Amino acid sequence: MTSHTMVVELSDCNVKYCHSRGAPDDLPHWRRVPGFPVFGVGQASEAGFPKIAEKVTKGDKLVWFNMRQEPVAYVGGQPVTPRKTPNPHDNIEIPGKVEDMDALEEKFVKELESRMCSEGKIPVFSDKEDAENPMDREEVKESVKLSDLKSYKKILTEMAAGPLEGMTVIRVPVVEERPQPEDCFDVIIKALVDENPAKTQIGRASCRERV
């Protein structure tokens, strides 16, 4: 994979709920490819991850593909992510290696800690109302208690050691609005080439609503 210099200044970003107005339910947009053990889900709440164990076949190996580029953290069980102030409705595109993205996620957690006020709260943005055109959405700001702060990677690690024991987590960052580079498909194929498809369940997770 080509090496890039990644420059993302988190201090210039607002913190916004995933799904614009917060997660609509614990496992938003959960779906399965008919006839195959391949699943997809939007950015789940922290409470939603253990529920996945009820939806997959116990004993089968589970491979989780994290398709996010931008960092995600959890505050009070809800996923949040940074957004550039001029483009609050657009995902931040982050070129670079997966290791850089993981490091940025840890940096995002520290950035949230640094924004905590004396009352233990941070400002979090969301959309006041839904609208088909994102540019028609009005943003609102609220003060949210900075409780149970975790990185997305930490939550997946906890799931792999608990309710989804043995789950393999692989990050395949993509920009969904564009054709994907061959590198992305190579990562997925490499992860599955030695697996028995009848005994391997594949999960795909992102903040988007499309497969």
Side-chain angles (χ1 to χ4, degrees):
M1 184 178 291
T2 303
S3 178
H4 297 273
T5 300
M6 182 172 57
V7 180
V8 178
E9 186 52 64
L10 293 174
S11 61
D12 294 337
C13 298
N14 289 330
V15 178
K16 190 168 184 177
Y17 283 119
C18 290
H19 303 287
S20 299
R21 300 180 66 194
D25 53 66
D26 285 336
L27 289 175
H29 315 296
W30 176 266
R31 62 268 191 193
R32 175 177 180 170
V33 177
F36 295 91
V38 179
F39 306 86
V41 66
Q43 195 70 47
S45 70
E46 185 173 359
F49 286 100
K51 296 179 181 180
I52 295 175
E54 305 168 4
K55 296 179 175 290
V56 298
T57 304
K58 188 175 182 179
D60 284 359
K61 182 174 180 179
L62 181 64
V63 180
W64 183 284
F65 292 106
N66 174 12
M67 315 297 275
R68 299 300 299 262
Q69 275 195 343
E70 63 284 332
V72 175
Y74 279 73
V75 176
Q78 291 297 316
V80 298
T81 191
R83 287 287 182 267
K84 292 289 186 181
T85 304
N87 300 299
H89 308 296
D90 293 337
N91 297 318
I92 298 177
E93 292 186 24
I94 303 173
K97 299 178 181 179
V98 167
E99 293 79 8
D100 297 328
M101 297 176 188
D102 288 341
L104 184 63
E105 193 161 274
E106 293 302 322
K107 183 180 178 182
F108 182 48
V109 170
K110 293 178 181 178
E111 176 68 23
L112 294 179
E113 292 174 333
S114 72
R115 297 189 184 193
M116 185 172 60
C117 68
S118 59
E119 297 178 348
K121 297 182 178 181
I122 62 169
V124 177
F125 287 78
S126 62
D127 289 342
K128 184 177 180 180
E129 295 178 345
D130 198 9
E132 185 173 351
N133 184 351
M135 302 309 297
D136 293 335
R137 298 172 186 169
E138 178 185 352
E139 273 201 314
V140 294
K141 180 173 69 172
E142 61 179 308
S143 293
V144 176
K145 184 174 178 59
L146 190 64
S147 60
D148 301 320
L149 176 61
K150 297 178 181 178
S151 69
Y152 183 27
K153 183 177 180 179
K154 182 176 181 180
I155 286 183
L156 292 177
T157 300
E158 290 177 348
M159 291 301 103
L164 301 172
E165 186 175 1
M167 178 178 71
T168 300
V169 179
I170 300 173
R171 193 165 194 164
V172 190
V174 301
V175 180
E176 291 195 350
E177 291 77 14
R178 300 178 184 174
Q180 303 311 315
E182 291 185 4
D183 288 350
C184 293
F185 297 101
D186 290 342
V187 171
I188 295 172
I189 292 172
K190 183 179 179 180
L192 300 177
V193 67
D194 294 326
E195 302 296 342
N196 180 350
K199 289 294 183 180
T200 302
Q201 301 185 65
I202 307 166
R204 175 191 182 279
S206 74
C207 198
R208 295 78 167 179
E209 301 179 7
R210 300 184 297 277
V211 175

